[in-house]
């Protein structure tokens, strides 16, 4: 069983505040970029495929930095990765505000991804190192909920600011939020406590039977919504505010659906919930591709949010149980594997969508994506546990 580092000057409450704000800031900056980047002239000129690369660059850098962050946390504790993440945000936000050229925006996305990978692993590790195992699940739930909050607030706020104040305004706001976040990291994290009980890593959790199927479900849940981010704004030709509201609708639907699905996790078979998520995600992509009215796109985006809850809520519970089956049991390894799977979905979704739209057109790409989801889902479902342990 875990025991917090009693010599640590970082209290559990301070760790929870710092970790939650770090996760919120990262996803807020990510959400602020959604309605803006695809419509910048330097990005539009490069085409849908380059737009997809721009969006997937964040997740690709996040995957790489997550691996390094895990090693740094193991050796030196969470404080250093938190500060590295702060530097990444400090680099990314002013580069976004320039509006281009394309290569500079790509550098900004990579810096943002490095910051995200470092901040996610360090934030969750900081909470784990200062919180007893009995209370750790509740603390992690609070921290993870701030991710959804950042995704919900970011797009509509960005759209509003772009229409009123210009394309640089959201990123100047992001810089201010990052500054406040950085002050909390510096002032509240006095030392660098280390986790003493989570000795196994994500590789050990992945070896547990059933983990591969759960990881695939997590990647699908992250990848479906992110696949729409770089291509829908250009397809609709709408303003940033409307685009932001559509993505906020998906996030709101996910927030409303998450507690409902969460209550069902203990009683309903995971295969039923995740299978329903795959079916709903497939239907929403098809509807987005064929919609010729705005309200139809709105319905599809809401369904996309519901599918995210159906996929991620059961998978989040299951991946934690997989970590408990490792010898010795690990919670940190489960969260690291979750982060890697989530980042993989964020990377592949925009990349495949951008290439598909450029080669086959928007409707064909969305329809193909819907068919692929059904095919992948059919291979994933049999590998899932029949019940939640």
């Amino acid at each position: 069983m875990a025991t917090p580092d009693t010599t640590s000057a970082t209290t559990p409450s301070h760790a929870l505040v710092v970790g939650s704000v770090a996760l919120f800031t990262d996803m807020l900056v990510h959400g602020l970029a959604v309605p803006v980047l695809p419509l910048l002239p330097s990005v539009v000129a490069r085409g849908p495929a380059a737009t997809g690369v721009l969006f997937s660059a964040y997740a690709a850098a996040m995957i790489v930095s997550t691996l390094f962050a895990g090693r740094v946390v193991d050796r030196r504790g969470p404080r250093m990765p938190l500060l590295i993440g702060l530097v990444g945000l400090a680099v990314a936000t002013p580069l976004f505000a320039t509006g281009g050229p394309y290569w500079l925006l790509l550098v900004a996305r990579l810096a943002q991804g490095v910051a995200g990978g470092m901040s996610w692993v360090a934030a969750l590790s900081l909470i784990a190192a200062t919180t007893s195992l009995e209370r750790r699940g509740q603390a992690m739930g609070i921290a993870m909920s701030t991710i959804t909050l950042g995704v919900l607030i970011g797009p509509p706020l960005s759209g509003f600011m772009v229409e009123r104040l210009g394309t640089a305004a959201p990123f100047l706001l992001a810089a201010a939020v990052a500054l406040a976040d950085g002050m909390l990291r510096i002032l509240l994290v006095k030392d660098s406590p280390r986790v003493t009980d989570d000795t196994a890593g994500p590789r050990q959790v992945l070896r547990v039977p059933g983990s591969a199927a759960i990881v695939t479900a997590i990647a699908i849940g992250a990848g479906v919504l992110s696949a729409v981010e770089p291509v829908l704004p250009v397809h609709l030709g709408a303003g940033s505010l409307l685009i932001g509201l559509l993505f906020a609708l998906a996030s709101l639907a996910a927030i409303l659906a998450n507690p409902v699905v969460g209550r069902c996790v203990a009683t309903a078979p995971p295969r039923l919930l995740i299978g329903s998520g795959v079916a709903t995600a497939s239907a929403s992509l098809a509807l987005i591709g064929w919609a010729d009215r705005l309200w139809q796109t709105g319905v599809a985006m809401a369904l996309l949010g519901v599918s995210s809850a159906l996929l991620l809520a059961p998978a989040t519970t299951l991946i934690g149980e997989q970590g408990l089956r490792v010898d010795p049991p690990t919670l940190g390894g489960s969260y690291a594997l979750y982060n890697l799977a989530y980042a993989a979905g964020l990377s592949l979704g925009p990349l495949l969508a951008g290439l598909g739209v450029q080669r086959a057109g928007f409707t064909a790409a969305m329809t193909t994506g819907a068919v692929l989801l059904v095919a992948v889902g059919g291979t994933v479902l049999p590998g899932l546990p029949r019940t939640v342990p």
Side-chain angles (χ1 to χ4, degrees), residues 47-338:
T51 307
V53 170
L54 187 63
F55 271 77
S56 65
Y58 164 82
M62 185 178 183
I63 292 173
V64 176
S65 66
T66 293
L67 299 175
F68 285 100
R71 292 189 176 186
V72 175
V73 168
D74 286 340
R75 295 179 180 179
R76 301 198 176 186
R79 193 170 193 268
M80 180 178 290
L82 280 172
L83 297 180
I84 294 174
L86 177 61
V87 172
L89 279 179
V91 171
T93 48
L95 292 183
F96 281 131
T98 64
Y102 177 85
W103 68 267
L104 196 60
L105 296 175
L106 186 59
V107 170
R109 287 294 282 180
L110 292 172
Q112 185 190 3
V114 170
M118 290 288 176
S119 296
W120 278 51
V121 174
L124 296 176
S125 297
L126 179 65
I127 295 171
T130 56
T131 309
S132 64
L133 188 60
E134 291 79 5
R135 298 183 178 181
R136 193 181 298 172
Q138 181 182 9
M140 290 293 188
I142 295 172
M144 297 300 281
S145 67
T146 61
I147 295 175
T148 306
L149 182 62
V151 174
L152 176 65
I153 295 176
L157 178 61
S158 176
F160 175 80
M161 296 185 72
V162 167
E163 293 197 354
R164 297 295 181 91
L165 302 172
T167 56
F171 302 114
L172 296 177
L173 172 65
V177 174
L179 177 62
D181 178 19
M183 294 299 295
L184 289 177
R185 299 187 195 192
I186 294 172
L187 294 176
L188 297 185
V189 184
K190 300 294 185 180
D191 56 358
S192 203
R194 299 176 62 183
V195 180
T196 59
D197 61 333
D198 293 343
T199 56
R203 183 179 301 177
Q204 286 80 0
V205 180
L206 186 59
R207 290 173 180 170
V208 177
S211 291
I214 299 170
V215 164
T216 305
I218 295 170
I220 292 174
V224 172
L225 184 58
S226 65
V228 182
E229 290 176 354
V231 294
L232 183 62
V234 177
H235 170 72
L236 292 179
S240 298
L241 179 58
L242 179 58
I243 297 299
L245 290 174
L246 285 173
F247 281 97
L249 179 61
S251 298
L252 180 61
I255 289 176
L256 296 176
N258 264 315
V260 178
V261 177
R263 285 195 293 268
C264 296
V265 167
T267 56
R271 295 180 183 181
L272 175 62
L273 295 176
I274 293 178
S276 300
V278 171
T280 305
S282 178
S284 63
L285 283 184
L287 181 55
I288 288 174
W290 290 93
D292 56 5
R293 297 178 183 273
L294 184 60
W295 69 266
Q296 294 172 340
T297 302
V299 170
M301 292 298 288
L303 287 175
L304 210 57
V306 172
S307 73
S308 176
L310 287 167
L311 287 162
L312 294 179
T316 303
T317 302
L318 289 172
I319 201 67
E321 294 295 330
Q322 295 295 96
L324 297 179
R325 297 172 62 187
V326 176
D327 186 20
T330 173
L331 187 64
S334 295
Y335 280 112
L337 183 60
Y338 180 95

